[in-house]
Amino acid sequence: MGDKAHTHPGAAGRAQPADHPTSVRNVVLVGHSGSGKTTLVEALALTAGAVNRAGRVEDGGCVSDYDEIEHRQHRSVQLSLVPVEWDGIKVNLLDTPGYADFVGELRAGLRAADAALFVVSAADGVDGSTRMVWEECAAVGMPRAIVITHLEAARADFEEMTRSCAEAFGADDPDAVLPLYLPLRGPQAADGHAPVTGLIGLLSQKLFDYSSGERTESEPVEDQLPVIEEARNRLIEGIIAESEDETLMDRYLGGEQVDVKTLVQDLERAVARGVFFPVLAAAPAAEGARQGLGTVELLELVTGGFPTPLEREAPRVTTPDGTPRGEAVCDPGGRWSRRW
């Protein structure tokens, strides 16, 4: 995550059929209406090469908002599926409505998914309904990550929003809700606002610049190092605290340098187990650009850290009168293979 050099490995057009459940990730996007879920799905589809240009909710051109009512109201009213492919992994993105009126569509998405992306607007923060869904996911141990959007808003503050997410979602362990990247801001505009043009990878200690429309990598400058070091140390401690290697924390506190590969592997395992909840940032691509800010990093997390259908127990099913049905299993050659 952040240490991979590939730029655009997505396959153009529709995602190819997966040949095995291990090559599938089923991910539901959760968040209040207006948080940017549909726009994020569009940005991920563009980066992965599933679409040639990103549509806009206001224009009714998004792939997941296809109903006439959605075009007219400029909001999602039903669950929709957008498949994309990244590094040979098929990612099924489930876009859910944010309004409480359509909670049935949201719950259907939660039952079909193996992990959740909680989309939080930097301009609006975390609302009560999003907290409730987080608690529902926690009750069943569903892996989760947080994506902060609307970084272009005048009052957007990534650092403050990260703290708010830790308070809202990390009641039991605030150190399990930490950012993997920090925003990289460009020159200050006339109105005093400095736009976010890229990200700083805390584990890789690299800069990922999206200002050209394509993700480019470079080294940080000297005055950025103290900020990176402070956030990086806290992230490393948070990852090691959830590591399955019980000796790692003692070795780290004893001065041993833990290599990035080990940290990434422990991070991915902790995310898949639903005990660590990384915070990322994302923004749609500018007109004519190929990649939206943070979309590569997000796809790396989804494919590397989220579980496969084989690693998650399928939800219990019953007949309409409540009679239990046989347990659903993820078997490519079995009756329930359509689930993935």
Side-chain angles (χ1 to χ4, degrees):
M1 299 175 194
D3 62 331
K4 301 178 182 178
H6 59 286
T7 304
H8 188 73
R14 294 177 60 86
Q16 298 298 311
D19 59 0
H20 194 270
T22 56
S23 299
V24 176
R25 304 292 185 273
N26 297 313
V27 183
V28 62
L29 282 81
V30 178
H32 67 78
S33 183
S35 61
K37 298 184 299 298
T38 299
T39 301
L40 178 58
V41 168
E42 200 76 11
L44 292 171
L46 177 65
T47 294
V51 297
N52 294 323
R53 61 178 295 275
R56 286 166 28 98
V57 173
E58 297 81 0
D59 300 333
C62 292
V63 290
S64 61
D65 280 354
Y66 52 83
D67 190 273
E68 182 182 347
I69 295 176
E70 294 173 315
H71 294 169
R72 188 168 62 248
Q73 298 186 3
H74 298 162
R75 67 179 183 183
S76 301
V77 301
Q78 58 191 345
L79 179 68
S80 62
L81 166 65
V82 177
V84 303
E85 185 180 350
W86 189 258
D87 269 0
I89 302 295
K90 182 181 180 182
V91 181
N92 291 317
L93 299 170
L94 295 163
D95 186 16
T96 63
Y99 276 93
D101 300 13
F102 311 111
V103 67
E105 299 288 313
L106 166 62
R107 293 227 156 78
L110 289 173
R111 286 180 63 83
D114 301 303
L117 288 175
F118 278 72
V119 183
V120 177
S121 168
D124 301 322
V126 183
D127 67 344
S129 61
T130 304
R131 286 190 179 94
M132 290 176 61
V133 178
W134 180 277
E135 291 170 1
E136 287 186 32
C137 292
V140 296
M142 177 178 280
R144 286 147 281 160
I146 302 153
V147 187
I148 296 178
T149 59
H150 296 162
L151 296 172
E152 74 284 356
R155 61 180 183 276
D157 186 329
F158 179 82
E159 291 76 14
E160 180 59 34
M161 188 52 59
T162 299
R163 286 191 289 271
S164 296
C165 289
E167 292 173 2
F169 302 137
D172 296 330
D173 184 6
D175 288 333
V177 182
L178 294 170
L180 297 185
Y181 301 87
L182 298 179
L184 176 65
R185 296 191 177 274
Q188 196 173 68
D191 60 1
H193 180 65
V196 177
T197 58
L199 299 171
I200 304 172
L202 294 180
L203 292 183
S204 64
Q205 300 184 84
K206 302 287 186 182
L207 305 186
F208 303 104
D209 188 0
Y210 283 85
S211 59
S212 67
E214 296 279 355
R215 181 182 188 250
T216 60
E217 181 180 319
S218 62
E219 299 292 332
V221 296
E222 188 173 348
D223 61 353
Q224 293 171 324
L225 295 177
V227 177
I228 295 175
E229 183 179 9
E230 180 181 356
R232 187 175 193 268
N233 288 341
R234 189 179 178 199
L235 173 62
I236 290 174
E237 290 177 10
I239 294 171
I240 292 176
E242 303 299 341
S243 174
E244 295 175 329
D245 183 351
E246 297 180 356
T247 70
L248 193 56
M249 180 62 81
D250 290 337
R251 286 154 45 201
Y252 172 72
L253 295 177
E256 180 178 325
Q257 293 295 318
V258 183
D259 66 272
V260 172
K261 183 178 180 180
T262 298
L263 291 171
V264 169
Q265 290 174 343
D266 278 346
L267 169 64
E268 291 177 342
R269 293 191 192 102
V271 171
R273 284 164 38 224
V275 296
F276 189 85
F277 315 103
V279 182
L280 298 90
E287 186 68 29
R290 291 287 301 273
Q291 296 174 334
L293 184 145
T295 52
V296 172
E297 289 76 15
L298 189 51
L299 286 165
E300 288 179 354
L301 173 69
V302 168
T303 55
F306 280 171
T308 73
L310 290 174
E311 297 172 296
R312 293 285 300 166
E313 182 180 349
R316 303 295 180 182
V317 293
T318 66
T319 61
D321 64 3
T323 303
R325 297 291 298 271
E327 181 180 352
V329 294
C330 185
D331 179 3
R335 178 182 176 188
W336 296 98
S337 62
R338 286 174 178 253
R339 178 175 180 260
W340 63 273

